[in-house]
PDB file of all heavy atoms in Angstrom:
ATOM      1  N   GLY A  65      65.706 104.135  80.040  1.00 98.00           N
ATOM      2  CA  GLY A  65      64.672 104.504  80.996  1.00 98.00           C
ATOM      3  C   GLY A  65      64.529 103.503  82.126  1.00 98.00           C
ATOM      4  O   GLY A  65      64.989 102.362  82.024  1.00 98.00           O
ATOM      5  N   TRP A  66      63.917 103.971  83.194  1.00 98.00           N
ATOM      6  CA  TRP A  66      63.527 103.123  84.332  1.00 98.00           C
ATOM      7  C   TRP A  66      62.010 103.145  84.445  1.00 98.00           C
ATOM      8  O   TRP A  66      61.380 104.202  84.361  1.00 98.00           O
ATOM      9  CB  TRP A  66      64.120 103.635  85.640  1.00 98.00           C
ATOM     10  CG  TRP A  66      65.577 103.378  85.825  1.00 98.00           C
ATOM     11  CD1 TRP A  66      66.598 104.256  85.633  1.00 98.00           C
ATOM     12  CD2 TRP A  66      66.182 102.156  86.262  1.00 98.00           C
ATOM     13  NE1 TRP A  66      67.806 103.658  85.910  1.00 98.00           N
ATOM     14  CE2 TRP A  66      67.573 102.362  86.305  1.00 98.00           C
ATOM     15  CE3 TRP A  66      65.688 100.898  86.627  1.00 98.00           C
ATOM     16  CZ2 TRP A  66      68.488 101.375  86.699  1.00 98.00           C
ATOM     17  CZ3 TRP A  66      66.583  99.913  87.013  1.00 98.00           C
ATOM     18  CH2 TRP A  66      67.962 100.150  87.045  1.00 98.00           C
ATOM     19  N   PHE A  67      61.451 101.983  84.657  1.00 98.00           N
ATOM     20  CA  PHE A  67      60.025 101.825  84.876  1.00 98.00           C
ATOM     21  C   PHE A  67      59.827 100.963  86.114  1.00 98.00           C
ATOM     22  O   PHE A  67      60.763 100.300  86.564  1.00 98.00           O
ATOM     23  CB  PHE A  67      59.360 101.143  83.666  1.00 98.00           C
ATOM     24  CG  PHE A  67      59.311 102.006  82.436  1.00 98.00           C
ATOM     25  CD1 PHE A  67      60.450 102.187  81.661  1.00 98.00           C
ATOM     26  CD2 PHE A  67      58.149 102.628  82.051  1.00 98.00           C
ATOM     27  CE1 PHE A  67      60.424 102.987  80.521  1.00 98.00           C
ATOM     28  CE2 PHE A  67      58.097 103.423  80.913  1.00 98.00           C
ATOM     29  CZ  PHE A  67      59.243 103.595  80.156  1.00 98.00           C
ATOM     30  N   ARG A  68      58.621 100.954  86.642  1.00 98.00           N
ATOM     31  CA  ARG A  68      58.321 100.076  87.774  1.00 98.00           C
ATOM     32  C   ARG A  68      56.901  99.537  87.649  1.00 98.00           C
ATOM     33  O   ARG A  68      56.042 100.161  87.023  1.00 98.00           O
ATOM     34  CB  ARG A  68      58.494 100.815  89.108  1.00 98.00           C
ATOM     35  CG  ARG A  68      57.531 101.978  89.325  1.00 98.00           C
ATOM     36  CD  ARG A  68      57.929 102.777  90.558  1.00 98.00           C
ATOM     37  NE  ARG A  68      57.040 103.913  90.769  1.00 98.00           N
ATOM     38  CZ  ARG A  68      57.285 104.882  91.649  1.00 98.00           C
ATOM     39  NH1 ARG A  68      58.382 104.855  92.394  1.00 98.00           N
ATOM     40  NH2 ARG A  68      56.416 105.877  91.779  1.00 98.00           N
ATOM     41  N   GLN A  69      56.700  98.378  88.254  1.00 98.00           N
ATOM     42  CA  GLN A  69      55.394  97.748  88.213  1.00 98.00           C
ATOM     43  C   GLN A  69      55.076  97.132  89.562  1.00 98.00           C
ATOM     44  O   GLN A  69      55.784  96.229  90.013  1.00 98.00           O
ATOM     45  CB  GLN A  69      55.345  96.687  87.119  1.00 98.00           C
ATOM     46  CG  GLN A  69      53.961  96.107  86.894  1.00 98.00           C
ATOM     47  CD  GLN A  69      53.878  95.323  85.613  1.00 98.00           C
ATOM     48  OE1 GLN A  69      54.888  94.881  85.055  1.00 98.00           O
ATOM     49  NE2 GLN A  69      52.667  95.133  85.108  1.00 98.00           N
ATOM     50  N   ALA A  70      54.025  97.650  90.182  1.00 97.00           N
ATOM     51  CA  ALA A  70      53.548  97.113  91.444  1.00 97.00           C
ATOM     52  C   ALA A  70      52.534  96.009  91.154  1.00 97.00           C
ATOM     53  O   ALA A  70      51.922  95.974  90.087  1.00 97.00           O
ATOM     54  CB  ALA A  70      52.910  98.220  92.270  1.00 97.00           C
ATOM     55  N   PRO A  71      52.321  95.105  92.111  1.00 93.00           N
ATOM     56  CA  PRO A  71      51.374  94.014  91.904  1.00 93.00           C
ATOM     57  C   PRO A  71      49.994  94.538  91.526  1.00 93.00           C
ATOM     58  O   PRO A  71      49.460  95.435  92.183  1.00 93.00           O
ATOM     59  CB  PRO A  71      51.349  93.314  93.265  1.00 93.00           C
ATOM     60  CG  PRO A  71      52.676  93.616  93.855  1.00 93.00           C
ATOM     61  CD  PRO A  71      53.018  95.002  93.402  1.00 93.00           C
ATOM     62  N   GLY A  72      49.426  93.993  90.455  1.00 95.00           N
ATOM     63  CA  GLY A  72      48.091  94.379  90.037  1.00 95.00           C
ATOM     64  C   GLY A  72      47.985  95.709  89.334  1.00 95.00           C
ATOM     65  O   GLY A  72      46.877  96.165  89.030  1.00 95.00           O
ATOM     66  N   LYS A  73      49.127  96.335  89.076  1.00 97.00           N
ATOM     67  CA  LYS A  73      49.108  97.647  88.425  1.00 97.00           C
ATOM     68  C   LYS A  73      49.886  97.604  87.122  1.00 97.00           C
ATOM     69  O   LYS A  73      50.708  96.715  86.882  1.00 97.00           O
ATOM     70  CB  LYS A  73      49.685  98.709  89.354  1.00 97.00           C
ATOM     71  CG  LYS A  73      48.859  98.951  90.605  1.00 97.00           C
ATOM     72  CD  LYS A  73      49.374 100.156  91.364  1.00 97.00           C
ATOM     73  CE  LYS A  73      48.489 100.463  92.565  1.00 97.00           C
ATOM     74  NZ  LYS A  73      48.952 101.671  93.308  1.00 97.00           N
ATOM     75  N   ALA A  74      49.633  98.606  86.290  1.00 97.00           N
ATOM     76  CA  ALA A  74      50.357  98.705  85.032  1.00 97.00           C
ATOM     77  C   ALA A  74      51.786  99.181  85.273  1.00 97.00           C
ATOM     78  O   ALA A  74      52.077  99.823  86.282  1.00 97.00           O
ATOM     79  CB  ALA A  74      49.640  99.681  84.099  1.00 97.00           C
ATOM     80  N   ARG A  75      52.646  98.855  84.335  1.00 98.00           N
ATOM     81  CA  ARG A  75      54.021  99.344  84.413  1.00 98.00           C
ATOM     82  C   ARG A  75      54.021 100.850  84.188  1.00 98.00           C
ATOM     83  O   ARG A  75      53.369 101.353  83.269  1.00 98.00           O
ATOM     84  CB  ARG A  75      54.869  98.640  83.360  1.00 98.00           C
ATOM     85  CG  ARG A  75      56.346  98.814  83.526  1.00 98.00           C
ATOM     86  CD  ARG A  75      57.114  97.856  82.630  1.00 98.00           C
ATOM     87  NE  ARG A  75      56.843  96.454  82.979  1.00 98.00           N
ATOM     88  CZ  ARG A  75      57.531  95.427  82.484  1.00 98.00           C
ATOM     89  NH1 ARG A  75      58.529  95.631  81.639  1.00 98.00           N
ATOM     90  NH2 ARG A  75      57.213  94.193  82.831  1.00 98.00           N
ATOM     91  N   GLU A  76      54.764 101.569  85.032  1.00 98.00           N
ATOM     92  CA  GLU A  76      54.750 103.013  84.939  1.00 98.00           C
ATOM     93  C   GLU A  76      56.154 103.591  84.800  1.00 98.00           C
ATOM     94  O   GLU A  76      57.130 103.029  85.313  1.00 98.00           O
ATOM     95  CB  GLU A  76      54.065 103.636  86.168  1.00 98.00           C
ATOM     96  CG  GLU A  76      54.783 103.432  87.473  1.00 98.00           C
ATOM     97  CD  GLU A  76      54.139 104.225  88.615  1.00 98.00           C
ATOM     98  OE1 GLU A  76      53.109 104.893  88.400  1.00 98.00           O
ATOM     99  OE2 GLU A  76      54.698 104.177  89.734  1.00 98.00           O
ATOM    100  N   PHE A  77      56.212 104.714  84.133  1.00 98.00           N
ATOM    101  CA  PHE A  77      57.469 105.414  83.905  1.00 98.00           C
ATOM    102  C   PHE A  77      58.000 105.997  85.203  1.00 98.00           C
ATOM    103  O   PHE A  77      57.240 106.539  86.012  1.00 98.00           O
ATOM    104  CB  PHE A  77      57.229 106.526  82.886  1.00 98.00           C
ATOM    105  CG  PHE A  77      58.357 107.497  82.751  1.00 98.00           C
ATOM    106  CD1 PHE A  77      59.528 107.126  82.096  1.00 98.00           C
ATOM    107  CD2 PHE A  77      58.267 108.775  83.276  1.00 98.00           C
ATOM    108  CE1 PHE A  77      60.582 108.015  81.967  1.00 98.00           C
ATOM    109  CE2 PHE A  77      59.299 109.677  83.143  1.00 98.00           C
ATOM    110  CZ  PHE A  77      60.460 109.300  82.490  1.00 98.00           C
ATOM    111  N   VAL A  78      59.316 105.919  85.364  1.00 98.00           N
ATOM    112  CA  VAL A  78      59.970 106.509  86.526  1.00 98.00           C
ATOM    113  C   VAL A  78      60.929 107.620  86.093  1.00 98.00           C
ATOM    114  O   VAL A  78      60.841 108.745  86.568  1.00 98.00           O
ATOM    115  CB  VAL A  78      60.730 105.449  87.334  1.00 98.00           C
ATOM    116  CG1 VAL A  78      61.498 106.095  88.480  1.00 98.00           C
ATOM    117  CG2 VAL A  78      59.782 104.372  87.854  1.00 98.00           C
ATOM    118  N   ALA A  79      61.857 107.283  85.189  1.00 98.00           N
ATOM    119  CA  ALA A  79      62.862 108.257  84.772  1.00 98.00           C
ATOM    120  C   ALA A  79      63.471 107.824  83.443  1.00 98.00           C
ATOM    121  O   ALA A  79      63.456 106.644  83.106  1.00 98.00           O
ATOM    122  CB  ALA A  79      63.950 108.395  85.827  1.00 98.00           C
ATOM    123  N   ALA A  80      64.015 108.805  82.724  1.00 98.00           N
ATOM    124  CA  ALA A  80      64.692 108.519  81.470  1.00 98.00           C
ATOM    125  C   ALA A  80      65.895 109.436  81.329  1.00 98.00           C
ATOM    126  O   ALA A  80      65.952 110.506  81.945  1.00 98.00           O
ATOM    127  CB  ALA A  80      63.748 108.694  80.282  1.00 98.00           C
ATOM    128  N   ILE A  81      66.834 109.000  80.500  1.00 98.00           N
ATOM    129  CA  ILE A  81      68.056 109.770  80.307  1.00 98.00           C
ATOM    130  C   ILE A  81      68.482 109.651  78.857  1.00 98.00           C
ATOM    131  O   ILE A  81      68.346 108.588  78.242  1.00 98.00           O
ATOM    132  CB  ILE A  81      69.163 109.261  81.264  1.00 98.00           C
ATOM    133  CG1 ILE A  81      70.397 110.155  81.224  1.00 98.00           C
ATOM    134  CG2 ILE A  81      69.523 107.805  80.970  1.00 98.00           C
ATOM    135  CD1 ILE A  81      71.372 109.870  82.375  1.00 98.00           C
ATOM    136  N   THR A  82      68.983 110.742  78.296  1.00 98.00           N
ATOM    137  CA  THR A  82      69.441 110.718  76.917  1.00 98.00           C
ATOM    138  C   THR A  82      70.734 109.917  76.777  1.00 98.00           C
ATOM    139  O   THR A  82      71.364 109.557  77.770  1.00 98.00           O
ATOM    140  CB  THR A  82      69.676 112.141  76.400  1.00 98.00           C
ATOM    141  OG1 THR A  82      70.560 112.826  77.300  1.00 98.00           O
ATOM    142  CG2 THR A  82      68.368 112.903  76.294  1.00 98.00           C
ATOM    143  N   TRP A  83      71.132 109.631  75.567  1.00 98.00           N
ATOM    144  CA  TRP A  83      72.285 108.793  75.264  1.00 98.00           C
ATOM    145  C   TRP A  83      73.567 109.345  75.875  1.00 98.00           C
ATOM    146  O   TRP A  83      74.423 108.587  76.293  1.00 98.00           O
ATOM    147  CB  TRP A  83      72.440 108.637  73.752  1.00 98.00           C
ATOM    148  CG  TRP A  83      72.332 109.947  73.035  1.00 98.00           C
ATOM    149  CD1 TRP A  83      73.339 110.764  72.631  1.00 98.00           C
ATOM    150  CD2 TRP A  83      71.100 110.603  72.657  1.00 98.00           C
ATOM    151  NE1 TRP A  83      72.824 111.894  72.058  1.00 98.00           N
ATOM    152  CE2 TRP A  83      71.465 111.817  72.041  1.00 98.00           C
ATOM    153  CE3 TRP A  83      69.749 110.296  72.790  1.00 98.00           C
ATOM    154  CZ2 TRP A  83      70.514 112.708  71.552  1.00 98.00           C
ATOM    155  CZ3 TRP A  83      68.810 111.190  72.306  1.00 98.00           C
ATOM    156  CH2 TRP A  83      69.199 112.375  71.695  1.00 98.00           C
ATOM    157  N   SER A  84      73.692 110.657  75.934  1.00 97.00           N
ATOM    158  CA  SER A  84      74.896 111.267  76.486  1.00 97.00           C
ATOM    159  C   SER A  84      74.787 111.536  77.974  1.00 97.00           C
ATOM    160  O   SER A  84      75.786 111.831  78.637  1.00 97.00           O
ATOM    161  CB  SER A  84      75.188 112.584  75.776  1.00 97.00           C
ATOM    162  OG  SER A  84      74.145 113.517  76.059  1.00 97.00           O
ATOM    163  N   GLY A  85      73.578 111.469  78.491  1.00 97.00           N
ATOM    164  CA  GLY A  85      73.345 111.799  79.890  1.00 97.00           C
ATOM    165  C   GLY A  85      73.123 113.280  80.131  1.00 97.00           C
ATOM    166  O   GLY A  85      72.974 113.697  81.282  1.00 97.00           O
ATOM    167  N   SER A  86      73.061 114.057  79.081  1.00 97.00           N
ATOM    168  CA  SER A  86      72.955 115.505  79.234  1.00 97.00           C
ATOM    169  C   SER A  86      71.562 115.959  79.666  1.00 97.00           C
ATOM    170  O   SER A  86      71.409 117.047  80.230  1.00 97.00           O
ATOM    171  CB  SER A  86      73.342 116.206  77.938  1.00 97.00           C
ATOM    172  OG  SER A  86      72.480 115.806  76.880  1.00 97.00           O
ATOM    173  N   SER A  87      70.563 115.138  79.386  1.00 98.00           N
ATOM    174  CA  SER A  87      69.193 115.489  79.775  1.00 98.00           C
ATOM    175  C   SER A  87      68.538 114.312  80.488  1.00 98.00           C
ATOM    176  O   SER A  87      68.755 113.152  80.116  1.00 98.00           O
ATOM    177  CB  SER A  87      68.358 115.854  78.549  1.00 98.00           C
ATOM    178  OG  SER A  87      68.837 117.034  77.946  1.00 98.00           O
ATOM    179  N   THR A  88      67.760 114.647  81.502  1.00 98.00           N
ATOM    180  CA  THR A  88      67.050 113.638  82.271  1.00 98.00           C
ATOM    181  C   THR A  88      65.587 114.040  82.435  1.00 98.00           C
ATOM    182  O   THR A  88      65.250 115.229  82.385  1.00 98.00           O
ATOM    183  CB  THR A  88      67.677 113.448  83.650  1.00 98.00           C
ATOM    184  OG1 THR A  88      67.698 114.713  84.335  1.00 98.00           O
ATOM    185  CG2 THR A  88      69.101 112.912  83.545  1.00 98.00           C
ATOM    186  N   TYR A  89      64.744 113.050  82.641  1.00 98.00           N
ATOM    187  CA  TYR A  89      63.306 113.261  82.737  1.00 98.00           C
ATOM    188  C   TYR A  89      62.768 112.374  83.854  1.00 98.00           C
ATOM    189  O   TYR A  89      63.223 111.241  84.017  1.00 98.00           O
ATOM    190  CB  TYR A  89      62.629 112.893  81.412  1.00 98.00           C
ATOM    191  CG  TYR A  89      63.241 113.579  80.215  1.00 98.00           C
ATOM    192  CD1 TYR A  89      64.354 113.027  79.575  1.00 98.00           C
ATOM    193  CD2 TYR A  89      62.761 114.794  79.757  1.00 98.00           C
ATOM    194  CE1 TYR A  89      64.948 113.661  78.494  1.00 98.00           C
ATOM    195  CE2 TYR A  89      63.334 115.429  78.676  1.00 98.00           C
ATOM    196  CZ  TYR A  89      64.437 114.861  78.050  1.00 98.00           C
ATOM    197  OH  TYR A  89      65.031 115.495  76.990  1.00 98.00           O
ATOM    198  N   TYR A  90      61.781 112.895  84.590  1.00 98.00           N
ATOM    199  CA  TYR A  90      61.264 112.172  85.742  1.00 98.00           C
ATOM    200  C   TYR A  90      59.748 112.215  85.804  1.00 98.00           C
ATOM    201  O   TYR A  90      59.118 113.195  85.391  1.00 98.00           O
ATOM    202  CB  TYR A  90      61.811 112.784  87.034  1.00 98.00           C
ATOM    203  CG  TYR A  90      63.306 112.698  87.170  1.00 98.00           C
ATOM    204  CD1 TYR A  90      64.126 113.740  86.762  1.00 98.00           C
ATOM    205  CD2 TYR A  90      63.903 111.561  87.708  1.00 98.00           C
ATOM    206  CE1 TYR A  90      65.505 113.653  86.880  1.00 98.00           C
ATOM    207  CE2 TYR A  90      65.280 111.471  87.832  1.00 98.00           C
ATOM    208  CZ  TYR A  90      66.073 112.510  87.411  1.00 98.00           C
ATOM    209  OH  TYR A  90      67.430 112.418  87.531  1.00 98.00           O
ATOM    210  N   ALA A  91      59.180 111.163  86.369  1.00 98.00           N
ATOM    211  CA  ALA A  91      57.778 111.205  86.730  1.00 98.00           C
ATOM    212  C   ALA A  91      57.624 112.218  87.861  1.00 98.00           C
ATOM    213  O   ALA A  91      58.516 112.366  88.701  1.00 98.00           O
ATOM    214  CB  ALA A  91      57.310 109.830  87.189  1.00 98.00           C
TER     215      ALA A  91
END
């Protein structure tokens, strides 16, 4: 997965991908 964190904010989800790459998920 990819996450991001801006100054003063909580870390948030951006995107994820399965082990094979067959499925992806996005904020």
Side-chain angles (χ1 to χ4, degrees):
W66 285 100
F67 290 77
R68 64 189 179 191
Q69 187 166 20
K73 295 189 176 182
R75 193 168 297 190
E76 66 173 3
F77 169 74
V78 175
I81 187 167
T82 54
W83 47 96
S84 65
S86 60
S87 294
T88 57
Y89 307 86
Y90 297 94

